[in-house]
Structures are given as C-alpha cells and as structure tokens.
Amino acid sequence: MNDFSRDASKPAVAHGTDASSEGSQLEALNAWVADVAALTRPATIHWCDGSDAENAALVAAMQADGTLLPLNGDTHPGSWLHRSHPDDVARVEHLTFVCTTHHDDAGPNNNWMAPEEGHAEIDALFDGCMQGRTLYVVPYCMGPIDSPLSRCGVEITDSPYVVANMRIMTRMGAPALARIEREGRLESGVFVKGLHSIGELDPNRRFIMHFPEELTIKSYGSGYGGNALLGKKCHALRIASYQARSEGWLAEHMLILGLENPQGEIHYIAAAFPSACGKTNLAMLIPPEGYRAQGWKVWTVGDDICWMRPGADGRLYAINPESGFFGVAPGTSAKSNPNALTSIQHDTIFTNVGLTADNQPWWEGIDNGLAPAIDWRGEPYDAAKRPAAHPNSRFTVSAKQCPSYTAEAENPAGVPISAIVFGGRRAALVPLVFEARDWTHGVLVGAAMGSETTAAATGAVGVMRRDPMAMKPFCGYNFADYFAHWLSFDQAGANLPKIFHVNWFRKGDDGKFLWPGFGDNLRVLEWMIGRVKGEASAIETPIGHLPAVTDLNLDGVALSGEAEAKLFGFDHAGWTAELESIGEYLEEYDDRMPQALKDEQQRIAKALGVL
Ligand code: O2Y
Ligand code: MN
C-alpha cells in the first residue's frame, strides 16, 4: 500500500502500487519531474498508474483528512462529496493568461504576459510550495488511447482530489504513460507538460498560465475544476487549439451527439454553446414520447469538448478527448436530464452540492421531493443565507455510466460530423434556429456568437458578451487567426458539415422562455438533418435559411402566437443593429481579421438594405 503522507527531506518515489519502480523510461519526462521537484520540494513523489488499488488508497487518505466525505452508501454507492475553498468555486478568467512571445499572437481575446515574465511570476509561487506534500505525476491521454487524433499530457499536482478527478475525466495512468514513452522515442513525440499546485488557495496568489509555444501549462492557487484539472480547459482547449492550428485540425468547445432516426441512420452533430448553456443536457437528450415510439434515439459522444480533423473523404471526423463529465449539478433533474441523473447514482464525485438529512447530494432544481439540510459550505441550510448548492457545483462521473453513451465514442477514427451548431443564451432578437448559407457565412455566425454570462466563471451573471464559437475563455491564440484557421478548411475536396445557429433561450414579453427546450430540441435537430439530406425546406432571409413554423414537427407542442412569431420570425430592424455591432466587433481585430469575414458581414448588411 502506498503511503501518501510521509515526510522526508529528500522526496521518496513510488510508482503506482509498486513502490520499487521509479520514474519513466522517457528521460525527458524524468528530467522535467526532477526539475519540478527541485523547485517545489515535495516530501514524496508518486507516479500514478490509474489502478483501482491506487484510487482506493487515495480516496481513503482523502476520507481520513476530510477532503472527501462519503455519501449515503445505499442511495449513492461509491460516491463522495468534496467542498472546495469558498473563494475557489469557478474558473478565474481574469487570472488566466496566454504567454506567447508576441503579444499579438495571444490577441485581444486573451490576457497576455511575455513567457519569461510569466514563468518568473508563477515559479516564484511554486518555489517550495509542495513541502510536506506528495507530488503526483499524472500521465494522461486526451482521447481513445489508440487514436491518432488523441494527444497526451502529464500533469504534476499536489492535489489528490485532482488525481481522482483526472482519473475519471481522462484516460489516466499506465496506458497513457506507455503511449507517451512510445511517442517520446519518435521525433514528433511531445506531451503537454502541466504543473499544478493548490498553493495556499489564496485568490491573490493564483494564476492559470499557458505557454502554447512550449506546450506547457502552469496553474497555482486553485483546486477547482477547469483551473486545476489541466487536461480539460487548459490542455484540450487552450493548448490544443494552438496545436491544432499548426497541425490542421480543430479543438472546440462542443458537445458531440449521434441522432439515430427510425431507419437506423445515425448523423453526428457537434454543437458549441457557452459555459452552462445546456451542452450536457443536449448531449444526453431523451426524445419526446412520440419520437421514441417511432424509434428515434440520441447517442452521447461528449458533452464539452470536440477535436475534429478532415478524413480521407473530406468529411470532418471528431473525437471527444475526455472520458467523463464534469457537469453542472443545479438544474439537473429527471425532467431536464434523466440520463445524467442515472449516471450519477453511483461512483461519482460531487463538488460543492448540498446534503439531505440522510446524506444524499442535493441541489436547486433536482426536484426529487427531498429537502436540503446542509449547504455547500457545510452549514445548516438556511434559504435566506445562501443556496444549498453552489450555482457552479459539479458532478464528476465516468462517461461509461451514462445510459446514452455510445461505443462509437471509443472509435479511434472518430465519428463523421454532419452538422455544426452554434448557440447562445439570447433573450431577444435571435430566432430558434437558422442555417448558414455556406461555410464562410457559418464561420461568421460562429464568430459573431453572443450570449448572456452564467455562473461557470467568476464575474457578473446575465451580461451579454460576444463569445465566438463559445471559445472566448478558451482559445489559445488570437481570434483573428482562429477565424482564418476555420476558413481554411473550405478547400477543394472538402465535404464540410452544414452550419446552424440555435437559441433555446428566447423570451416573451412576460420574461418567460418561449421554447420548451430539453427533449423538444430534437425537433430542431431533425430539421437540421433534413436540411443536410436536402429533404427539409426553409425560407431564405438575409441572416440565413429559417424554417417556417410548418417545417418543424411540432406535434404535441403548443406555441402561442407570440412564440411562433418570435421563434420563427426575422426582425429586420433588430438584425440591422446587430450586423452593425458585429462589424464593430470584427474591427477590434484590425487588419489581422480575415477580409473574407469582413466581406461576409458587408454582404449581409447589403442584403439587409443597410449599404
Ligand atoms: O471548471 C470549472 O470551474 C467549471 S467550468 C466548466 C466545467 C465543465 C465544462 N465546461 C465548463 C465551462 O466553463 O465551459
Ligand atoms: Mn465547457
């Protein structure tokens, strides 16, 4: 059994459950671990193998020190509650930096520091920070171990909670290390280096830094989610988007689902929505009753991140680089997402949720007839004081526990994408769905995406901001170059997906949502696939192709006159103002913004009669 808490002046080294083997066969990896150990000065170094025994020992140690609390073993076997520091509950965009040699390469969409300055600033925090602690070396693979689309990384962390989460969210341990060692012998063999310490959990001593030119991440002072599980936002989006640009692929903030029709045909759809806008719910959608009876099914490939590259047939093939879900708990219920609720009945780590009197996890909107007794800070629940669950409380669970998870998610070749969907939270103006005319128009639609902010990041909630392709917090380089990269896929031999935009969040004059959402979103997906197959009709407008109310199957959905008008209508004056605002946004990137996107904005402005 491993000893995770021993103290010594020189770090003791253990490897998985076998304390006799030390380090890796890859000298570059051993050298980096040695350098980090010299800087951080841990008591012990532990190389993670990802085994059940290793996980059991880690969990036991965390239970002993109170960082994991066991949940009701009858209702939620194998499940745990973790409470983060109350000042450490979400991603911190203002402390997140992209450190490139040239400021312009990071772009106005990122906070920037020069690499030497960034290293110096954060290394000063890392200096001696792991004294008395264990340094865990966590090899991981983003994507199926045997997929050419996958990429590997190693996270060094002093948080056992991070190790336990990385084990669920990535293919972590011995198979990943073997791939890293195999690739390390090749000229192209590189792994992403991620260094993480919880530090003192002091918001004034916290940074999340990315060095894309060195494929390196350094994160200090937070133990929470995207700040700390470095495979997720830091690697699979910020670093991967940079890597993807030079290697000819796309790393996107998108769910991937498979829509199966009654004939057994499956079309895969990738959809980008800003944080906490329902990606997990859409990825796990259960079709409305009538559709289910006919044989429609939705398969889940991923709920947050999508890596895509052109295949030999010109289509885009996608993998989900993750192997688990780090989903928002509040609002998850038998109505909103039955598949998620089933997934998290066992072997789940909950973070910052409330508790019932009999120790079951509880959050606002769970709607299960139970009541909270203890809030997310461990205090007796008092509705006047704070919600039971933090609005950004989460569950971490293996994707394999999801009833709609498909074996195709493990296909090393990826799944072919038929449609790409962009969407935001827009109370006004934006209709339920429209289709872009072509790829260039679709890229503009993605670039112009706007959404009202949510609790997934610190800062004001409900403020409309432009969030291109839902990548505002996650693109590892200048957005102007990113849009140029997207445009570059439109070339001879390409057989690209159709691009759509949706808005599930349109509100009526009474402030209530006009579209029922959830399972009924399938009606919109059905229309999209009808368009892909050339079978569904639409009306051409300056902003794209819109369905008429009669083009969607609305059997069993009662929409008011106002709902029909706003969900399927096109507001000429409103879009004229929106186009002007989009033009101003593109100008923020000066000459670096591709002329093709500016021309596209002008084309639509002309069609609106503005020019
Ligand atoms: O990492 C966090 O602190 C929560 S943010 C998050 C978690 C899972 C999936 N997506 C997001 C996001 O912010 O987009
Ligand atoms: Mn996300």
Side-chain angles (χ1 to χ4, degrees):
M1 186 61 64
N2 291 297
D3 176 359
F4 292 110
S5 58
R6 64 184 278 172
D7 202 343
S9 54
K10 190 167 182 285
V13 181
H15 200 154
T17 47
D18 171 10
S20 62
S21 66
E22 296 186 5
S24 159
Q25 293 168 21
L26 189 62
E27 265 328 299
L29 175 53
N30 290 334
W32 174 59
V33 172
D35 285 350
V36 169
L39 176 66
T40 58
R41 302 196 290 282
T44 306
I45 296 176
H46 178 86
W47 289 72
C48 296
D49 65 6
S51 63
D52 289 346
E54 176 183 83
N55 188 56
L58 270 173
V59 165
M62 284 189 277
Q63 185 178 1
D65 73 12
T67 41
L68 280 189
L69 306 171
L71 292 170
N72 185 321
D74 295 328
T75 59
H76 292 76
S79 298
W80 304 89
L81 169 65
H82 172 77
R83 295 195 181 108
S84 72
H85 189 286
D87 288 333
D88 184 30
V89 290
R91 292 185 291 100
V92 281
E93 292 180 14
H94 62 295
L95 301 174
T96 300
F97 285 76
V98 169
C99 305
T100 46
T101 307
H102 302 289
H103 190 164
D104 271 359
D105 290 342
N109 45 302
N110 282 302
N111 299 316
W112 175 83
M113 244 187 246
E116 326 76 74
E117 194 192 337
H119 283 301
E121 187 103 26
I122 202 161
D123 285 354
L125 300 177
F126 278 114
D127 193 357
C129 72
M130 294 190 192
Q131 290 174 75
R133 297 181 188 171
T134 296
L135 177 160
Y136 299 95
V137 182
V138 185
Y140 63 86
C141 181
M142 300 310 296
I145 284 278
D146 52 351
S147 171
L149 281 74
S150 301
R151 292 288 181 276
C152 291
V154 178
E155 174 165 358
I156 291 178
T157 179
D158 55 8
S159 162
Y161 165 80
V162 165
V163 178
N165 276 268
M166 285 290 283
R167 183 169 180 268
I168 297 173
M169 295 302 297
T170 72
R171 279 88 170 168
M172 181 273 254
L177 182 60
R179 176 168 170 163
I180 290 166
E181 288 172 341
R182 212 167 44 242
E183 292 182 337
R185 285 182 220 111
L186 308 173
E187 207 179 312
S188 60
V190 281
F191 60 92
V192 169
K193 296 186 179 80
L195 171 56
H196 168 253
S197 171
I198 55 171
E200 308 81 16
L201 295 174
D202 174 355
N204 296 312
R205 287 168 57 82
R206 180 175 296 163
F207 279 119
I208 322 297
M209 289 190 179
H210 305 75
F211 303 87
E213 292 153 350
E214 305 163 38
L215 301 185
T216 293
I217 305 156
K218 292 185 178 180
S219 167
Y220 188 90
S222 165
Y224 198 83
N227 300 333
L229 313 180
L230 301 187
K232 192 171 182 54
K233 303 299 186 180
C234 299
H235 178 161
L237 288 176
R238 298 193 191 97
I239 296 289
S241 59
Y242 182 94
Q243 213 176 3
R245 181 185 172 210
S246 61
E247 296 177 2
W249 49 283
L250 291 164
E252 300 302 325
H253 191 200
M254 293 178 176
L255 67 90
I256 310 166
L257 64 80
L259 178 60
E260 181 172 343
N261 67 18
Q263 292 73 49
E265 231 176 69
I266 304 180
H267 282 272
Y268 292 94
I269 297 175
F273 299 95
S275 306
C277 281
K279 282 205 302 298
T280 304
N281 291 349
L282 185 62
M284 298 176 190
L285 179 150
I286 293 194
E289 180 60 57
Y291 279 84
R292 279 207 306 279
Q294 288 171 28
W296 288 84
K297 291 189 187 108
V298 168
W299 298 105
T300 307
V301 179
D303 79 328
D304 195 41
I305 301 180
C306 163
W307 288 357
M308 289 182 279
R309 73 158 65 217
D313 59 1
R315 299 187 72 185
L316 291 184
Y317 284 79
I319 59 163
N320 169 16
E322 301 188 286
S323 58
F325 308 121
F326 188 64
V328 186
T332 304
S333 69
K335 177 176 179 235
S336 69
N337 195 337
N339 279 326
L341 211 59
T342 302
S343 311
I344 59 183
Q345 287 313 299
H346 64 96
D347 297 294
T348 301
I349 300 174
F350 294 89
T351 302
N352 291 342
V353 299
L355 289 175
T356 62
D358 67 345
N359 224 22
Q360 298 190 47
W362 195 94
W363 49 82
E364 281 66 20
I366 190 170
D367 252 352
N368 60 357
L370 303 177
I374 306 289
D375 71 21
W376 64 276
R377 293 183 62 166
E379 294 174 12
Y381 173 66
D382 174 355
K385 209 165 169 193
R386 63 177 72 96
H390 186 277
N392 193 36
S393 55
R394 299 275 169 170
F395 52 79
T396 319
V397 67
S398 166
K400 291 195 171 134
Q401 291 185 199
C402 180
S404 56
Y405 189 62
T406 167
E408 279 302 298
E410 307 292 332
N411 186 340
V415 295
I417 298 296
S418 299
I420 287 177
V421 182
F422 295 120
R425 206 177 257 278
R426 296 290 295 262
L429 183 67
V430 182
L432 178 63
V433 57
F434 62 91
E435 175 197 331
R437 286 161 48 100
D438 55 24
W439 186 258
T440 303
H441 180 211
V443 174
L444 180 69
V445 168
M449 249 171 74
S451 193
E452 287 134 25
T453 51
T454 67
T458 53
V461 169
V463 178
M464 149 72 190
R465 72 169 180 180
R466 296 247 169 248
D467 189 352
M469 279 112 166
M471 286 288 278
K472 166 79 185 72
F474 306 122
C475 183
Y477 62 105
N478 190 315
F479 258 152
D481 300 340
Y482 170 76
F483 301 145
H485 181 50
W486 263 83
L487 291 170
S488 76
F489 285 81
D490 190 8
Q491 51 183 258
N495 183 5
L496 296 167
K498 271 189 179 292
I499 298 181
F500 298 86
H501 188 282
V502 299
N503 178 21
W504 313 133
F505 301 96
R506 186 76 188 261
K507 288 185 177 167
D509 294 337
D510 60 1
K512 294 200 174 130
F513 292 119
L514 293 172
W515 176 247
F518 304 118
D520 287 311
N521 292 338
L522 184 102
R523 301 170 191 279
V524 177
L525 304 183
E526 180 191 14
W527 177 77
M528 288 174 188
I529 298 307
R531 294 293 296 165
V532 167
K533 292 163 68 177
E535 292 169 358
S537 8
I539 300 163
E540 194 170 341
T541 78
I543 62 160
H545 303 290
L546 269 74
V549 184
T550 48
D551 289 326
L552 252 66
N553 174 358
L554 294 175
D555 286 354
V557 180
L559 294 180
S560 66
E562 184 198 13
E564 286 195 0
K566 289 186 169 155
L567 293 171
F568 294 88
F570 151 65
D571 166 1
H572 190 276
W575 276 101
T576 302
E578 177 78 357
L579 252 285
E580 196 181 323
S581 153
I582 292 169
E584 285 163 10
Y585 178 70
L586 298 182
E587 283 309 325
E588 287 173 24
Y589 290 81
D590 298 321
D591 292 347
R592 208 144 165 156
M593 183 59 69
Q595 189 58 42
L597 273 201
K598 295 186 188 178
D599 291 347
E600 188 63 17
Q601 184 271 348
Q602 291 286 295
R603 185 191 63 72
I604 299 169
K606 213 181 248 169
L608 284 162
V610 181
L611 299 175

